Amino acid sequence: MGTVTGSKFLVESDHARILVDCGLFQGLADLRRRNWRGLPCDAGDIEAVAITHAHLDHCGYLPRLVRHGFRGRVVTTEFSARLMEIVLRDSAKLQMEAAQHANDHGWSKHRPAQPLYDYSDVDRTLKLLDPVPTGTETALATGIRLTLHPAGHILGSAWACLTLEDGHTLAVSGDLGRPGHTPSCSRRNPSPARTYCSWSLRTATGSTSRRRAGPGSPAC
C-alpha cells in the first residue's frame, strides 16, 4: 500500500465477502488516482461493509462502491452514521466542483471530466446505513457476526470484531485514540482476551495476505 490513507480491507470467508472500511485515498495526485482503480472483486459481490469511523479515508469511497453496484448493508455506530452524511455530501460537492473546474479549464485528459461520485450516489449510500449499538453482536453477513467497540478516536469511532461461524475471530482497529477519553468520545475499549485466528485479507490494491493472529494481537 505504501500509505495509511484509503483504508479498505476485503475479508473473505467460505460464504461471504465483506469490506471493513471503505475509504478514499487522499494527498498527492498519485494517491488520489488510486480511487479510480477497481477493487479485487465486483462491488455487487460484497455482502456488507463495516465502517469504523467517519473520517473520509475510512468511509469516503462508499458512494463510488454504490455507483458500481453495491447494495448491501453499511453497518456502523449511530454517531458515525450521522457524521458520514455530512462528510459524504461534502466530498461529493468537492468531487463535482473539481470535475467542473477541469472541464472549464481543460486540465484533465478526460473529455469530459467526471466526478468520482455525485449527490445521487451519496443519497443511495445513506439509505444503506444501518447503525448498531457498540458492544452488541449483530449478523453482518452469511456466517459472519460483528461487534463494534469504542475506539476513542473521534465521535462514534469503533474497532471491529468479526466472529466467523467456525469460532475464529478477527479484530480490525480502524484508528485508535488515546487510552483516556474526552467528554465527546467514549473511552477506548480493548479486551484482555486473546484468540488465535486464521483469515484472508485483501487490500484495495488487490494484494492478498493470509495472517495468523495470536497472543499479543488484538482480539475480541
Side-chain angles (χ1 to χ4, degrees):
M1 293 283 285
T3 180
V4 297
T5 188
S7 179
K8 199 184 292 96
F9 298 103
L10 177 64
V11 180
E12 298 176 310
S13 72
D14 292 338
H15 305 291
R17 285 173 168 164
I18 66 166
L19 277 180
V20 179
D21 283 340
C22 192
L24 277 185
F25 288 102
Q26 298 175 281
L28 299 175
D30 284 346
L31 289 176
R32 298 196 308 272
R33 279 193 284 269
R34 297 189 188 187
N35 293 319
W36 295 91
R37 298 178 185 175
L39 294 178
C41 69
D42 291 337
D45 291 339
I46 297 170
E47 191 167 340
V49 178
I51 297 295
T52 61
H53 65 284
H55 278 152
L56 197 65
D57 62 331
H58 287 257
C59 73
Y61 191 84
L62 276 170
R64 182 72 175 178
L65 193 71
V66 170
R67 172 175 279 204
H68 283 283
F70 173 73
R71 296 297 182 267
R73 299 161 63 217
V74 179
V75 180
T76 190
T77 66
E78 179 183 358
F79 286 123
S80 287
R82 292 165 65 178
L83 288 174
M84 283 165 59
E85 180 172 2
I86 300 170
V87 169
L88 295 180
R89 290 195 187 282
D90 185 62
S91 178
K93 182 175 185 290
L94 295 176
Q95 300 288 341
M96 294 162 65
E97 287 179 347
Q100 185 61 53
H101 189 275
N103 290 324
D104 290 344
H105 297 277
W107 54 262
S108 173
K109 64 181 180 180
H110 301 287
R111 300 289 188 274
Q114 298 290 337
L116 195 66
Y117 51 80
D118 57 26
Y119 288 136
S120 64
D121 299 310
V122 173
D123 289 339
R124 289 195 295 272
T125 301
L126 296 176
K127 293 178 181 178
L128 302 178
L129 294 184
D130 186 8
V132 299
T134 56
T136 301
E137 190 177 61
T138 184
L140 180 64
T142 305
I144 301 176
R145 301 188 67 82
L146 168 73
T147 307
L148 296 174
H149 299 275
H153 176 54
I154 63 169
L155 187 66
S157 61
W159 59 271
C161 171
L162 303 175
T163 304
L164 305 184
E165 60 185 354
D166 61 6
H168 285 146
T169 57
L170 165 65
V172 182
S173 67
D175 290 341
L176 297 178
R178 296 179 179 180
H181 69 291
T182 65
S184 62
C185 287
S186 299
R187 183 183 297 274
R188 195 177 77 193
N189 183 26
S191 168
R194 295 292 180 265
T195 186
Y196 283 94
C197 61
S198 179
W199 42 277
S200 173
L201 177 150
R202 282 199 276 179
T203 69
T205 61
S207 60
T208 301
S209 62
R210 291 190 177 273
R211 307 183 183 183
R212 186 172 178 83
S217 303
C220 310

